[in-house]
Amino acid sequence: GAVVSQHPSRVICKSGTSVKIECRSLDFQATTMFWYRQFPKQSLMLMATSNEGSKATYEQGVEKDKFLINHASLTLSTLTVTSAHPEDSSFYICSPGGRNTEAFFGQGTRLTVV
Amino acid sequence: AQKVTQAQTEISVVEKEDVTLDCVYETRDTTYYLFWYKQPPSGELVFLIRRNSFDEQNEISGRYSWNFQKSTSSFNFTITASQVVDSAVYFCALSDGGGGFKTIFGAGTRLFVKA
């Protein structure tokens, strides 16, 4: 069954506004959360890794001030896209780390900035 | 550095044909995990299989089968008697062996199954 809940599944926002995406680990404590981004017809690329209680690690080319990650508890990590622009329109998906089984993914959030 | 290559960008088959999706990976880790995911138009990733680097046994699950060969660093996926519902993008992925499951994805293969 689903062990990761990501919300919202779809969001449309105006350019310049901020959007928060939540990722909840339902049945285990996730000390690490991976955030991926997928542009249309492209693969999933790791954006950042959040760690509970400490700063997130961002991949090269990802602006940490634009994509704010908070991992305040072992069951919740959030990604906030600040001052969103049309080029941020993408599919964002989270995945809790630290489990020695299949890698679980959230349902994904399709962000459209207009 | 880790890398996953799916050389086939798109494949189109007619229903009931068999189709094989190729995956070649690169890693310097001795312990690693390989995955296949299906991504339908809804976007959600559907887990299909996980293999660790010490288990080269091939696996069959219904119409799906996987061939893992460390000697060629390949982890190919075959769908037997394809169906229209198999139409999707399929991703091969590689994770490190540290348990963190930071995942590197291949570019994906878009499969079209025509009736």
Side-chain angles (χ1 to χ4, degrees):
Chain A
V3 296
V4 184
S5 175
Q6 185 173 344
H7 178 80
S9 58
R10 287 180 179 274
V11 58
I12 300 174
C13 72
K14 290 186 177 180
S15 187
T17 60
S18 295
V19 173
K20 180 186 282 189
I21 302 169
E22 291 187 350
C23 185
R24 293 184 183 275
S25 173
L26 298 180
D27 70 344
F28 71 100
Q29 296 181 329
T31 56
T32 303
M33 188 73 75
F34 300 110
W35 287 94
Y36 297 85
R37 177 169 58 182
Q38 184 183 29
F39 291 110
K41 296 194 175 183
Q42 293 189 26
S43 188
L44 291 87
M45 299 296 293
L46 181 67
M47 294 176 63
T49 303
S50 71
N51 300 289
E52 189 265 338
S54 64
K55 289 184 179 180
T57 305
Y58 291 82
E59 297 299 303
Q60 193 173 10
V62 178
E63 299 173 57
K64 63 179 181 180
D65 294 330
K66 182 171 187 60
F67 298 98
L68 301 180
I69 290 175
N70 184 287
H71 195 153
S73 78
L74 291 173
T75 57
L76 175 63
S77 176
T78 61
L79 168 67
T80 301
V81 183
T82 63
S83 188
H85 291 287
E87 57 265 30
D88 298 322
S89 297
S90 187
F91 187 67
Y92 295 86
I93 193 164
C94 63
S95 176
R99 255 200 126 161
N100 192 26
T101 55
E102 69 183 78
F104 291 100
F105 288 85
Q107 299 90 335
T109 298
R110 197 169 298 282
L111 170 64
T112 303
V113 184
V114 298
Chain B
Q2 295 185 324
K3 185 178 178 182
V4 177
T5 302
Q6 293 180 257
Q8 304 148 308
T9 305
E10 290 187 0
I11 300 177
S12 185
V13 298
V14 176
E15 211 171 18
K16 297 183 183 177
E17 281 186 22
D18 298 346
V19 59
T20 295
L21 310 182
D22 299 332
C23 174
V24 175
Y25 63 93
E26 293 177 31
T27 181
R28 279 181 278 188
D29 292 338
T30 54
T31 302
Y32 53 88
Y33 297 87
L34 295 164
F35 301 82
W36 274 96
Y37 291 92
K38 175 182 180 179
Q39 188 178 45
S42 63
E44 187 170 350
L45 285 176
V46 178
F47 168 82
L48 296 178
I49 190 171
R50 165 185 175 264
R51 261 285 174 268
N52 72 54
S53 52
F54 299 108
D55 183 2
E56 283 193 75
Q57 199 169 22
N58 292 329
E59 181 158 337
I60 298 175
S61 176
R63 295 185 298 109
Y64 297 167
S65 62
W66 292 269
N67 185 299
F68 177 26
Q69 293 196 355
K70 287 180 76 172
S71 60
T72 56
S73 296
S74 65
F75 187 44
N76 297 337
F77 171 34
T78 298
I79 302 175
T80 303
S82 60
Q83 299 176 2
V84 173
V85 293
D86 295 328
S87 297
V89 180
Y90 290 86
F91 290 100
C92 180
L94 170 68
S95 287
D96 60 38
F101 284 100
K102 174 180 176 178
T103 304
I104 306 297
F105 287 85
T109 297
R110 188 174 297 271
L111 175 64
F112 296 98
V113 182
K114 297 178 286 188

